[in-house]
Amino acid sequence: MVKVPLAPPRGMDDILPEEIPLHRSLVETVRLLFRLYGYREVETPPVEYYELFAVKSGQEILSHMYVFEDVHGRRLVLRPEMTAPIARLVAGKLSRSPRPIRLGYVADCYRLDEPQWGRRRRFYHGGFEIFGSKEPAADAECMVIFDDFLRRVGIRDYYFKVGHVGVHRAIMSAAGIEDDDQDTILGLLDRGRVEEAEESVRKLAKDREAATLFKEVAAHPAGPAIETIDELMAKLSKAERACKELENLRKIVKLASQVVEPARIIYYPGFARGLSYYTGFIFEVFGQGAEIALGGGGRYDGLVSLIGGPETPGVGFAIGLTRIMQYLTDRLMVKPQPDSPLALVAPLAEESIEFAFRAAHEFRRAGVPTELEMAAYSPSEAIRRAERRGARFLVLIGRREVESKTVSVRDLEGRFQEEWRVEEIYERAESLLGRTRVGS
Ligand code: HAM
């Protein structure tokens, strides 16, 4: 016997039969939203060239990537996220598609994060990206879709943490701070190292005013979005470019508020995100009782051109499907349920197995999820086994049924027991479908 570990690699999870229906229903909700909002689904390989992420993902992501070499010495990675691969498509194969172009994906991503609640080394993203529009309606659409998703999966207590790195970038650009340095400073801000960020601005800025402005933004208290934006605009009235960015955030929030309850949108002026491709609006979603985000996104106008494509603005977000699944089961106490057959066909004697084999096929032809017992059991044993499997209907086939070419259909919730001729199964089985348990 070869001794192999029976657990998957640390921080990665098997998705078990009882977990699959919930996982699938989250994925199906994402796909329904693709359809409803006009996103075309794409797939990319889980392995990409290292350079794709090295360009603009930020130190946080780079230091948590699975990196390896192929036989030719090319540096490859397991994708840590999907925005860069999608931008690669838009820079390449989809560079001539009419704009705006909306793309969606459901994909597993890999990060060497320290495993803990909600933080895994393999997790799923359900994502939405819009390319070719700078309009605030595109940013607002991201929030609206996320809001729609949360309602559909039964999460009611949540809020949007919104921010705008365009405000910080405007202050830094006006003071002559280079893009790369801006990324580093925003990275510090994201990790809560506010003083270090301010110190860097002080050192790198060509004028002293910038550091004061930067600090003023970072220190401004969070609050209901529109009010907080207005307060900050009054404070920064002399910093014209920063105010223009705040005006952009205001428009986004106003638009999103047509659908999302305004009280759910909280502006955090000091908010930045770990990924360094963001140029404007950013957001994260938090659920009651979860201190880590259920998803997030933002605007990244320079990414496509940076990797060799035409100048193309972009905005999007990813829903953390794996984290949401954990949130639903651990915090909202949703009980995962395995798929069960609707009907179990049970031969009661050795001689009825052939007939049962054919009858089961008739049920499936009618679309009824049907399991077949492969050996004969007594009626009481057949009932026990059907209940254990969660079947709603039991189809018993004994010697008598074989002779009369019929099947005995029993509702295990006790509503009926009927005898059907085999050629009737296809039509009558439809009546069982209203009670389907598949995926519910
Ligand atoms: P992100 O914030 O790094 O953004 O990831 C989005 C979401 O994925 C997080 O809010 C979280 O729910 C989930 N997530 C991240 N890391 C883990 C992990 N180790 N385990 C479980 N769940 C995790 C992005 O990746 C961007 N690509 C989002 C985006 C799309 N921005 C624009 N378009």
Side-chain angles (χ1 to χ4, degrees):
M1 194 175 78
V2 187
K3 253 213 162 320
V4 294
L6 295 181
R10 184 167 134 78
M12 302 210 185
D13 305 295
D14 301 310
I15 309 181
L16 300 176
E18 61 270 26
E19 296 163 337
I20 282 288
L22 183 55
H23 172 76
R24 190 176 47 215
S25 82
L26 296 179
V27 169
E28 277 168 5
T29 305
V30 169
R31 294 210 160 107
L32 173 69
L33 294 171
F34 289 162
R35 189 88 191 93
L36 283 176
Y37 289 82
Y39 288 71
R40 289 185 295 155
E41 187 172 351
V42 287
E43 264 195 36
T44 62
V47 174
E48 294 276 357
Y49 289 120
Y50 177 86
E51 293 77 14
L52 178 65
F53 297 98
V55 176
K56 205 63 175 170
S57 295
Q59 208 39 51
E60 184 69 12
I61 289 278
L62 281 185
S63 58
H64 290 97
M65 282 201 304
Y66 283 88
V67 185
F68 55 100
E69 267 186 13
D70 69 8
V71 286
H72 308 294
R74 287 296 305 252
R75 217 154 31 135
L76 301 170
V77 298
L78 287 180
R79 60 187 173 202
E81 59 108 40
M82 282 296 288
T83 305
I86 301 294
R88 172 178 66 67
L89 274 185
V90 173
K93 289 206 178 83
L94 302 179
S95 64
R96 287 169 194 276
S97 303
R99 302 331 197 205
I101 168 169
R102 290 177 166 88
L103 299 173
Y105 51 87
V106 174
D108 52 348
C109 298
Y110 300 81
R111 292 184 195 172
L112 268 162
D113 281 333
E114 192 46 35
Q116 51 183 280
W117 189 91
R119 212 180 285 288
R120 315 299 301 153
R121 289 182 170 176
R122 173 181 185 254
F123 55 91
Y124 276 89
H125 270 176
F128 299 72
E129 314 284 348
I130 313 174
F131 293 89
S133 172
K134 276 183 184 288
E135 298 303 322
D139 308 62
E141 180 170 299
C142 295
M143 289 172 75
V144 168
I145 297 172
F146 211 135
D147 188 76
D148 201 341
F149 173 85
L150 293 167
R151 286 166 186 276
R152 285 175 194 270
V153 302
I155 297 176
R156 308 253 171 269
D157 238 339
Y158 57 89
Y159 69 93
F160 289 85
K161 172 179 180 175
V162 304
H164 200 296
V165 289
V167 177
H168 308 86
R169 287 192 187 277
I171 294 170
M172 293 191 280
S173 297
I177 300 178
E178 301 287 336
D179 267 7
D180 284 353
D181 291 326
Q182 292 185 16
D183 295 348
T184 311
I185 292 166
L186 290 172
L188 289 170
L189 207 56
D190 168 56
R191 274 168 281 150
R193 290 155 65 176
V194 187
E195 279 171 20
E196 282 169 72
E198 287 168 5
E199 184 53 37
S200 300
V201 175
R202 198 167 306 121
K203 274 200 202 125
L204 296 167
K206 296 212 167 70
D207 62 85
R208 301 179 83 218
E209 179 76 0
T212 318
L213 284 173
F214 188 90
K215 198 168 170 179
E216 226 158 340
V217 174
H220 195 89
I226 296 289
E227 289 90 316
T228 312
I229 293 167
D230 289 345
E231 284 164 22
L232 196 58
M233 276 175 92
K235 242 192 199 173
L236 302 185
S237 58
K238 275 188 262 143
E240 214 178 292
R241 279 162 70 180
C243 280
K244 239 180 100 199
E245 302 294 332
L246 279 170
E247 185 55 46
N248 172 254
L249 178 61
R250 197 174 196 286
K251 283 187 185 150
I252 295 166
V253 171
K254 276 287 254 189
L255 279 168
S257 307
Q258 300 302 308
V259 180
V260 180
E261 271 176 54
R264 293 187 188 279
I265 311 175
I266 313 293
Y267 174 36
Y268 285 71
F271 174 35
R273 282 178 37 81
L275 292 147
S276 49
Y277 46 62
Y278 293 118
T279 51
F281 170 65
I282 51 169
F283 76 100
E284 276 179 343
V285 172
F286 288 87
Q288 169 77 24
E291 43 307 308
I292 45 180
L294 301 177
R299 176 165 285 280
Y300 47 91
D301 285 348
L303 189 57
V304 175
S305 55
L306 204 67
I307 59 177
E311 201 65 51
T312 312
V315 61
F317 67 99
I319 302 173
L321 296 178
T322 305
R323 189 172 291 174
I324 285 189
M325 173 131 163
Q326 235 187 324
Y327 180 68
L328 286 171
T329 53
D330 297 357
R331 304 283 152 96
L332 302 190
M333 301 306 160
V334 170
K335 272 218 155 7
Q337 291 236 318
D339 283 335
S340 31
L342 189 59
L344 182 76
V345 173
L348 301 175
E350 186 65 30
E351 305 89 282
S352 38
I353 291 178
E354 271 183 25
F355 186 58
F357 203 84
R358 172 169 160 217
H361 184 66
E362 287 302 301
F363 279 93
R364 295 178 190 130
R365 226 165 50 85
V368 175
T370 304
E371 253 183 63
L372 173 68
E373 290 288 18
M374 281 160 295
Y377 295 96
S378 71
S380 58
E381 180 66 5
I383 291 174
R384 221 173 49 77
R385 292 171 65 92
E387 281 172 350
R388 213 167 51 204
R389 297 264 246 302
R392 168 74 192 270
F393 302 99
L394 177 61
V395 181
L396 293 171
I397 304 182
R399 289 194 190 89
R400 192 175 58 78
E401 281 83 3
V402 177
E403 257 162 44
S404 58
K405 299 250 174 308
T406 58
V407 296
S408 260
V409 183
R410 185 184 291 195
D411 179 351
L412 291 174
E413 287 181 9
R415 277 190 217 122
F416 70 83
Q417 179 162 355
E418 293 171 351
E419 193 123 329
W420 296 358
R421 282 182 293 117
V422 70
E423 54 294 352
E424 285 177 337
I425 295 176
Y426 181 71
E427 262 176 36
R428 296 188 72 171
E430 241 199 338
S431 67
L432 309 183
L433 279 174
R435 297 138 178 178
T436 184
R437 289 185 174 186
V438 176
S440 63

